[in-house]
Amino acid sequence: MGMTKTPRSLRSVAVRKSLGSNLDGATGKTVSAVASLIAAASVSTGAQAQQSTLPPVNVDAPKERPRSTAAKPTPDQVRARNALRRAAQRQQAATAPVVDAAGPAPDRNPYADPAAPYKVDHVQAGGKFPEKLVDTPKSITVLSKEVLEDKNATTLKQAILSTAGVTLGTGEGGNAFGDRFFIRGFDARNDVFIDGVRDSGVSVRENFFTEQVEILRGPGSTFAGRGVAGGAINIVTKQATTEKSFYNMDTTFGTDKTKRVVLDVNQVIDPSWSVRAGGMFQDAGVAGRDYVKDNRDGAFVATTWKPIDAVKIQANYIHTELTGLPDFGVPYYRPSTASTAGGPFPDFGSNRNAWYGFVNRDFFRTGQDIGTLNAEVQITPDLLLTNKFRDSYSTQNYIGTLPEGPVLATPLSASTLSANPQSRFQTTNVIANQTEATYKFSDGAGFKHTALAGFEYDNERLSIDKYTGLSSEALPGGFSGSGSLSGVSVFNPQFTNLPFGIPGGLSGLPTKVTIDTKSVYVMDSANYNDQLILNGGFRYDDYNIKATGYGTVGGVANVFGQQQQEYLMPNFNLGLTLKPLPNGSVYVAYATSSNPVGAEFDGTSVQYGGLAPSLNGNPNQIFGPEKNKAIELGTKWELFNRHLLLTAALFQTEKDNARESRNIAGAGGSIVSLITAGAAYRIRGIDLGVGGKITDKWSVFGGLVLMQSEVTKSLIPPANTTLYTTNVGLPLSNVAHQSFSMLSKYQINDVWELGGQAVYRSKIYGGTFLAANQGTSIPSYWRFDMFAEAKIDKHWQVKLFVNNIFDKRYYDALYQSAAPFVLEAPGRAAYVVLSARY
């Protein structure tokens, strides 16, 4: 009764020593020694109370014995222990908050290296890409939140155009407005994803809700479904976090009349529930372009709830709306169709600021509403089930003017053009559901597997209409807005302020497209002791597309037509990664993808990647999908305390059964554009990338891509037969075959940081069906930006950006016609950004 209790800490020590001694093969004397230790601890602890009744215990000191050889860890145990330690270190690095003098970073990127935010370690799709990027057998460029901020990239277009290996195209098929990207030479305008779900239809995407932008290069139907010939773009959105509440605000003022405010607030309700909300407002012009407006507003809300450790539910909603006056660029000067000379008219003396639209008629209004519900259930420590549901609605609504068909005069300053109106009211609805199971297990051969199986359903619905009644009575005889206005001065557009009445509304004769896709896929990544990683996957898509609409056949207007196609598309990928050292890898990968008819379903004909209704019994699109295959050999290394990632890859992508177009006589004497299949293209090159920190103060992010492309098979004559006798041997259009970008930032002291960016694009050729067969081109360019950042205190900072320092006149893209319009890039502009972080 009077025995003093042994303190818990001493009891724990005793138990640990007892267990350790037994593991070492000690005799029963050791047990007696432990009993003596417990008794001594009890006597010592109870001495003050004088209540101990334990009798003294006498034991012989244990004899030192050699350790049993059976107790020594085997080589497999050593490797397993080291692997567990490395896994724990990686997990700790991935989840540990960034700490500085101001405390934990409140809105850190969960995918980036905490000590080097220019270096991203993981992509969002952890089940499909379970290894770190350094060990993933695929070229992936990731623009982190910090990279987007230091590029001052407020739209996806701005971010992409300052990244090597990606170029911009103009809208096609009547859709002259919106994001159209080319990755490794192939159209990717409908290969844009938001949180892993396809964002169908060409839109203009803001970055205020973006955590990072992932550019997956090379064919990837296994990962993403249809298309993805040159690559895909995944926008990762900001999610609510339970780490810490924070309150951020960024206010921007620019010399291009920009006024912009962005709010981002995360509130931790309790340890299991948090809510994040943000908003954006912008009123802006465009540097170097008259009249053009770029106004935006938007908001997002996201919530994360973990009722128990094994369950996580996330929901978010995003709304954006962009409005203003559209800019369809400047006209192209060409001495004759038999000449490759010429270029954009501003390079031949016209005013680079000249805008050829109508301020009282033209407008654009593009918006998106995206709702997502994601649920994750950790069934066991090794089995994770996820389900993601998406419902989205987007609009493209505009009336714009294309400056086309210049009529050359002497002197050149007297030249005129036709102001060609373009209008569209496009709505896109997407309902998608992805269900995936990720299972981790070890096999008897020593491989640790991360296997994923999934089912996906997508329903995409598109409606395209156009405006009528766009006429003006200000000109003699009137001017119908549905036709081109000729006689517009190239050097001094004289009809900018032409009055217009209220548009008469939509035609009521829309083209409608519906795509239903059911997909199943399996993937596996097998890791052998962090020395050898095998990667593979298979996907099967059941793709159904239906198009209905109206046209003119044999002089009869508003003829209704429809067409429906179904494609069953299997694709796969394989990868092998060897790790000669823990911080580096060498890999080889092979992948396939398929482009069915209508994959770029915002186009109004197959010529533009869409599916046109078959009118008057003239089906002209009965053929299989284009097939893409690629092989890539690369290496990746983490240097400078593993805070800098260097990548290098050699690649080759081939497209077979590619589509071409020729005209034939149709019913009633009409001319039908017949699409044929059987052409082939090839593009090969080298892709170099860098991202992270060279020193504690010096951060870099950039890349160099050098490509060579060629049409290897063609069944029809080129677009310009006076210049080319065949398409075979020609390079691809809409491709900058050499591109370079480098963002660099240096921390001078605790207050100041200085940075800059250099971007190079080589000459881009124009042409149809990817071949550079028109004899048109836009010149190469260098562009330089700079910025300076001052930390006022731990809550406030100010940044000064100067974009296009030398006011370089350059161009982003050109239309595919023989007399194209050309998209002109912004001129020099300066911005001051005041940021608050609480």
Side-chain angles (χ1 to χ4, degrees):
M1 296 296 294
M3 183 182 295
T4 303
K5 295 182 179 179
T6 305
R8 181 178 300 175
S9 60
L10 291 177
R11 293 201 306 269
S12 299
V13 171
V15 171
R16 288 197 298 270
K17 288 188 176 181
S18 173
L19 290 173
S21 300
N22 283 317
L23 287 174
D24 289 342
T27 64
K29 290 186 178 181
T30 306
V31 177
S32 299
V34 173
S36 176
L37 179 62
I38 295 174
S42 300
V43 171
S44 174
T45 306
Q48 296 177 356
Q50 299 293 320
Q51 294 177 347
S52 176
T53 60
L54 287 175
V57 179
N58 296 318
V59 297
D60 294 333
K63 295 181 180 180
E64 183 177 358
R65 295 186 179 184
R67 291 179 179 265
S68 170
T69 56
K72 292 182 180 180
T74 66
D76 286 341
Q77 290 173 329
V78 171
R79 284 193 293 269
R81 181 180 61 195
N82 292 338
L84 288 172
R85 287 176 177 173
R86 287 193 295 268
Q89 291 170 353
R90 288 195 296 266
Q91 179 67 20
Q92 182 178 5
T95 59
V98 182
V99 178
D100 58 17
D107 57 344
R108 68 179 186 88
N109 183 350
Y111 308 100
D113 183 336
Y118 277 15
K119 172 178 173 280
V120 173
D121 290 329
H122 300 273
V123 293
Q124 183 188 52
K128 296 178 180 178
F129 300 96
E131 302 290 341
K132 291 179 61 178
L133 286 185
V134 69
D135 298 330
T136 300
K138 189 177 185 65
S139 290
I140 302 176
T141 302
V142 184
L143 287 72
S144 69
K145 175 172 61 68
E146 291 77 12
V147 168
L148 295 175
E149 290 174 353
D150 288 343
K151 286 177 176 284
N152 197 30
T154 61
T155 65
L156 180 64
K157 174 183 172 181
Q158 290 173 326
I160 291 299
L161 286 184
S162 59
T163 304
V166 186
T167 51
L168 185 73
T170 61
E172 304 291 357
N175 191 1
F177 192 74
D179 298 335
R180 187 192 184 202
F181 304 116
F182 282 79
I183 305 176
R184 286 188 176 175
F186 297 99
D187 197 340
R189 73 179 186 272
N190 263 291
D191 295 328
V192 178
F193 297 75
I194 297 179
D195 291 332
V197 179
R198 189 182 297 272
D199 185 34
S200 304
V202 174
S203 186
V204 180
R205 300 167 179 92
E206 246 282 340
N207 280 344
F208 79 98
F209 57 84
T210 301
E211 189 73 68
Q212 67 184 25
V213 175
E214 303 167 349
I215 305 172
L216 285 68
R217 304 177 189 268
S221 281
T222 306
F223 306 104
R226 73 172 190 264
V228 197
I233 299 169
N234 184 42
I235 301 169
V236 181
T237 64
K238 296 177 179 178
Q239 300 294 329
T241 174
T242 55
E243 270 191 10
K244 185 178 180 180
S245 297
F246 59 81
Y247 316 95
N248 298 342
M249 181 177 71
D250 298 291
T251 305
T252 304
F253 298 96
T255 56
D256 58 359
K257 301 180 182 179
T258 291
K259 297 177 286 292
R260 178 182 173 92
V261 178
V262 176
L263 299 175
D264 185 4
V265 175
N266 186 81
Q267 184 66 50
V268 178
I269 308 299
D270 61 42
S272 66
W273 182 28
S274 60
V275 177
R276 187 170 184 174
M280 177 272 301
F281 166 80
Q282 174 175 301
D283 183 359
V286 176
R289 303 295 293 146
D290 290 341
Y291 301 106
V292 180
K293 295 293 184 183
D294 183 15
N295 301 331
R296 314 173 199 168
D297 62 75
F300 78 90
V301 61
T303 184
T304 298
W305 181 44
K306 293 190 67 175
I308 57 176
D309 289 342
V311 176
K312 181 169 70 173
I313 298 174
Q314 293 178 304
N316 67 60
Y317 171 74
I318 300 168
H319 168 79
T320 60
E321 185 168 357
L322 288 70
T323 61
L325 284 176
D327 185 8
F328 292 145
V330 297
Y332 190 94
Y333 165 68
R334 193 174 188 188
S336 70
T337 56
S339 171
T340 58
F345 255 100
D347 291 346
F348 292 86
S350 71
N351 187 348
R352 65 180 291 182
N353 289 34
W355 182 72
Y356 298 91
F358 303 100
V359 295
N360 295 313
R361 184 194 69 177
D362 295 0
F363 75 94
F364 76 86
R365 186 175 296 111
T366 179
Q368 287 189 298
D369 289 273
I370 304 169
T372 308
L373 178 64
N374 184 57
E376 300 180 3
V377 181
Q378 194 79 46
I379 304 297
T380 70
D382 298 321
L383 178 60
L384 175 67
L385 296 183
T386 65
N387 192 86
K388 183 177 294 181
F389 175 79
R390 166 75 52 80
D391 188 359
S392 68
Y393 176 79
S394 63
T395 59
Q396 276 279 55
N397 184 13
Y398 64 82
I399 301 172
T401 307
L402 308 184
E404 292 185 317
V407 178
L408 303 183
T410 304
L412 191 63
S413 58
S415 300
T416 61
L417 57 80
S418 295
N420 181 12
Q422 293 287 308
S423 71
R424 175 170 288 217
F425 183 77
Q426 172 180 304
T427 62
T428 306
N429 296 80
V430 177
I431 293 178
N433 193 86
Q434 296 177 357
T435 302
E436 296 179 346
T438 303
Y439 182 54
K440 297 183 179 181
F441 64 96
S442 298
D443 60 24
F447 284 92
K448 294 183 177 180
H449 295 259
T450 300
L452 179 144
F455 171 78
E456 181 176 345
Y457 172 74
D458 295 273
N459 176 259
E460 306 161 67
R461 302 181 306 281
L462 178 78
S463 176
I464 303 173
D465 206 343
K466 60 183 178 181
Y467 283 92
T468 61
L470 307 179
S471 61
S472 171
E473 304 301 327
L475 297 176
F479 159 54
S480 171
S482 59
S484 296
L485 175 63
S486 60
V488 177
S489 172
V490 170
F491 284 73
N492 185 27
Q494 70 273 38
F495 300 118
T496 302
N497 293 293
L498 195 67
F500 281 86
I502 300 174
L506 299 174
S507 72
L509 302 172
T511 295
K512 294 188 176 183
V513 181
T514 301
I515 297 178
D516 274 299
T517 308
K518 296 178 284 292
S519 309
V520 292
Y521 47 92
V522 292
M523 301 176 191
D524 187 26
S525 179
N527 186 320
Y528 183 78
N529 294 329
D530 281 342
Q531 297 174 352
L532 170 68
I533 303 172
L534 301 176
N535 177 276
F538 176 81
R539 182 178 179 122
Y540 188 83
D541 292 290
D542 182 352
Y543 169 93
N544 287 269
I545 183 170
K546 179 180 180 180
T548 61
Y550 301 84
T552 300
V553 176
V556 179
N558 302 333
V559 176
F560 178 81
Q562 61 182 336
Q563 186 165 185
Q564 187 167 358
Q565 300 258 331
E566 180 179 12
Y567 296 93
L568 304 178
M569 300 179 296
N571 285 285
F572 71 96
N573 74 285
L574 295 171
L576 169 64
T577 302
L578 299 176
K579 292 186 62 62
L581 291 173
N583 64 319
S585 68
V586 178
Y587 68 89
V588 61
Y590 182 87
T592 68
S593 66
S594 305
N595 289 88
V597 172
E600 312 293 349
F601 81 141
D602 61 293
T604 52
S605 73
V606 175
Q607 184 175 357
Y608 299 109
L611 178 66
S614 175
L615 298 173
N616 203 23
N618 289 316
N620 58 358
Q621 292 124 23
I622 308 300
F623 41 76
E626 297 175 331
K627 296 289 188 177
N628 313 293
K629 57 185 178 182
I631 188 168
E632 183 173 307
L633 175 65
T635 184
K636 302 181 182 182
W637 292 89
E638 291 179 319
L639 304 177
F640 302 104
N641 295 321
R642 305 187 75 162
H643 294 322
L644 183 77
L645 178 62
L646 292 176
T647 65
L650 297 171
F651 64 89
Q652 176 175 289
T653 303
E654 296 177 287
K655 178 184 285 289
D656 294 318
N657 203 42
R659 295 185 280 272
E660 298 179 303
S661 175
R662 60 189 177 93
N663 294 330
I664 63 171
S670 63
I671 300 297
V672 177
S673 179
L674 178 66
I675 306 300
T676 61
Y681 307 91
R682 180 183 64 218
I683 190 161
R684 54 170 61 127
I686 182 170
D687 193 328
L688 307 177
V690 61
K693 279 189 172 182
I694 297 177
T695 70
D696 288 342
K697 299 181 179 294
W698 186 13
S699 299
V700 293
F701 179 87
L704 171 68
V705 177
L706 306 175
M707 297 187 296
Q708 182 185 56
S709 66
E710 183 180 4
V711 177
T712 57
K713 184 178 180 181
S714 179
L715 306 178
I716 63 172
N720 192 323
T721 55
T722 60
L723 291 175
Y724 310 103
T725 58
T726 177
N727 286 323
V728 175
L730 294 178
L732 302 186
S733 62
N734 291 303
V735 180
H737 287 77
Q738 297 87 40
S739 58
F740 168 81
S741 68
M742 182 59 67
L743 174 69
S744 180
K745 177 172 69 174
Y746 189 81
Q747 182 180 348
I748 298 174
N749 52 39
D750 291 340
V751 176
W752 287 98
E753 290 184 345
L754 290 178
Q757 178 177 237
V759 176
Y760 172 76
R761 290 287 187 278
S762 64
K763 178 185 291 188
I764 296 177
Y765 295 97
T768 56
F769 278 94
L770 291 180
N773 53 18
Q774 290 282 13
T776 57
S777 64
I778 52 177
S780 62
Y781 69 86
W782 278 95
R783 192 197 81 210
F784 299 93
D785 309 324
M786 63 82 63
F787 66 92
E789 177 181 333
K791 292 181 173 61
I792 300 172
D793 59 30
K794 67 180 183 180
H795 296 302
W796 292 87
Q797 69 180 28
V798 62
K799 274 187 176 182
L800 171 66
F801 292 92
V802 181
N803 292 349
N804 195 1
I805 297 172
F806 302 108
D807 201 22
K808 173 69 176 179
R809 183 174 65 245
Y810 68 98
Y811 310 92
D812 287 331
L814 73 166
Y815 193 65
Q816 68 176 23
S817 69
F821 66 90
V822 180
L823 300 184
E824 185 172 359
R828 178 173 53 227
Y831 305 90
V832 174
V833 182
L834 181 64
S835 300
R837 299 288 183 266
Y838 285 91

